[in-house]
């Protein structure tokens, strides 16, 4: 297992430049290109573990290398820019030459799986078949409870941001193979006091965060 720590995307839901926007930031990004143009959020920890697999997955795989070895996706929350449902179909199409694609959801976010299973409109009603044939598997995590994936520790903490299932987003304390602790804390307003207190137990070597709404007037961020 090779540690990647590779940002595949750092943009918010609309990306930069946003499709329908002509503000100075987006116009500058169109003109300059390069790092000024940002795909939607996605972070690769190792060759087999990713944080989110979102709206720009196809473009990111083309730009940074295929996802054929990715077997684990830890979902921060259920907004579409972080959770690309079509990737389940992609996993089904490639089932003969890849391992099961495992998805991890926290708390109420896991309710989206039951919604998928029982809807005839979601991927033609094939979610249960995907599970039965071992193409995908879904796992429910608890906030504050550590799990281990391929020798790495993951502890989700409650973020101050609501997903589609009205769930709190998940921010992760990740124990890297080299002994360092990485905190991945995206899509949260001011951290909950309980999360801050819990994080005081850890030494954080790498801290990844953002300010989702920037300085937009009227937000509590």
């Amino acid at each position: 297992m090779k540690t990647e720590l590779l940002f595949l995307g750092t943009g918010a839901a609309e990306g930069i430049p946003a499709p329908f926007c002509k503000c100075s930031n987006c116009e500058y990004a169109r003109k300059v290109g390069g790092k000024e143009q940002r795909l939607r959020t996605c972070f690769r920890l190792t060759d087999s573990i990713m944080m989110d697999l979102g709206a720009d997955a196809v473009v990111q795989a083309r730009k940074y290398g295929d996802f054929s070895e990715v077997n684990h996706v830890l979902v921060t929350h259920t907004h579409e820019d972080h959770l690309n449902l079509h990737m389940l179909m992609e996993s089904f199409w490639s089932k003969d030459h890849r391992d099961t694609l495992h998805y991890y959801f926290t708390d109420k976010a896991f309710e989206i799986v039951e919604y998928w299973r029982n809807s005839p409109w979601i991927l033609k009603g094939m979610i249960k078949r995907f599970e039965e044939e071992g193409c995908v598997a879904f796992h429910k995590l608890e906030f504050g409870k550590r799990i281990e994936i391929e020798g790495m520790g993951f502890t989700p903490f409650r973020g101050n941001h609501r997903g589609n299932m009205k769930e709190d987003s998940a921010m992760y304390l990740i124990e890297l193979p080299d002994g360092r602790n990485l905190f991945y804390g995206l899509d949260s307003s001011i951290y909950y006091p309980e999360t801050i207190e819990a994080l005081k137990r850890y030494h954080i070597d790498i801290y990844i965060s953002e300010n989702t709404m920037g300085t937009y007037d009227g937000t509590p961020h």
Side-chain angles (χ1 to χ4, degrees):
M1 179 180 67
K2 183 177 67 174
T3 303
E4 296 272 356
L5 300 186
L6 178 65
F7 290 98
L8 305 184
T10 57
E14 71 277 17
I16 298 178
F20 299 106
C21 185
K22 292 183 71 65
C23 75
S24 59
N25 286 335
C26 288
E27 291 290 71
Y28 181 77
R30 290 186 182 100
K31 179 180 178 180
V32 175
K35 290 183 178 180
E36 296 298 327
Q37 297 187 351
R38 297 165 58 188
L39 299 175
R40 265 72 68 88
T41 298
C42 186
F43 185 58
R44 192 163 185 173
L45 281 164
T46 72
D47 49 8
S48 61
I49 304 174
M50 297 181 70
M51 310 299 297
D52 289 332
L53 188 53
D56 291 324
V58 172
V59 176
Q60 288 160 339
R62 185 184 306 140
K63 186 174 181 179
Y64 297 107
D66 65 78
F67 297 161
S68 60
E69 295 183 59
V70 173
N71 298 323
H72 305 276
V73 178
L74 290 103
V75 179
T76 58
H77 61 295
T78 56
H79 285 156
E80 288 80 2
D81 54 317
H82 294 257
L83 180 60
N84 185 341
L85 185 58
H86 195 265
M87 290 300 101
L88 304 184
M89 182 69 82
E90 296 274 358
S91 182
F92 174 71
W93 288 334
S94 62
K95 64 181 179 178
D96 293 333
H97 55 271
R98 61 163 288 114
D99 294 331
T100 302
L101 183 58
H102 297 268
Y103 273 80
Y104 302 83
F105 298 87
T106 49
D107 196 43
K108 287 177 62 65
F110 190 80
E111 294 178 9
I112 201 169
V113 177
E114 281 302 315
Y115 177 78
W116 290 344
R117 287 170 177 159
N118 296 312
S119 172
W121 310 109
I122 299 295
L123 296 184
K124 304 177 183 179
M126 295 177 65
I127 296 295
K128 289 182 179 179
R129 179 182 172 187
F130 294 169
E131 292 182 274
E132 291 168 356
E133 297 193 17
C135 306
V136 298
F138 304 110
H139 309 272
K140 185 176 182 179
L141 307 182
E142 296 180 32
F143 286 117
K145 186 173 181 179
R146 180 185 183 275
I147 64 164
E148 192 167 298
I149 302 174
E150 297 191 2
M152 295 174 61
F154 294 84
T155 305
F157 294 98
R158 199 178 296 275
N160 188 1
H161 183 74
R162 294 286 186 271
N164 287 332
M165 308 310 291
K166 307 302 180 184
E167 82 275 13
D168 285 314
S169 60
M171 306 190 292
Y172 289 88
L173 192 287
I174 303 164
E175 302 161 33
L176 299 174
D178 61 9
R180 292 179 299 169
N181 287 330
L182 182 153
F183 182 71
Y184 191 74
L186 303 192
D187 280 83
S188 179
S189 181
I190 296 172
Y191 291 3
Y192 291 129
E194 65 189 72
T195 298
I196 294 174
E197 286 302 312
L199 288 173
K200 288 180 180 180
R201 302 196 304 266
Y202 301 91
H203 175 82
I204 298 174
D205 300 285
I206 303 172
Y207 179 77
I208 299 171
S209 186
E210 32 84 302
N211 187 353
T212 304
M213 297 298 293
T215 56
Y216 184 75
D217 290 340
T219 69
H221 294 67

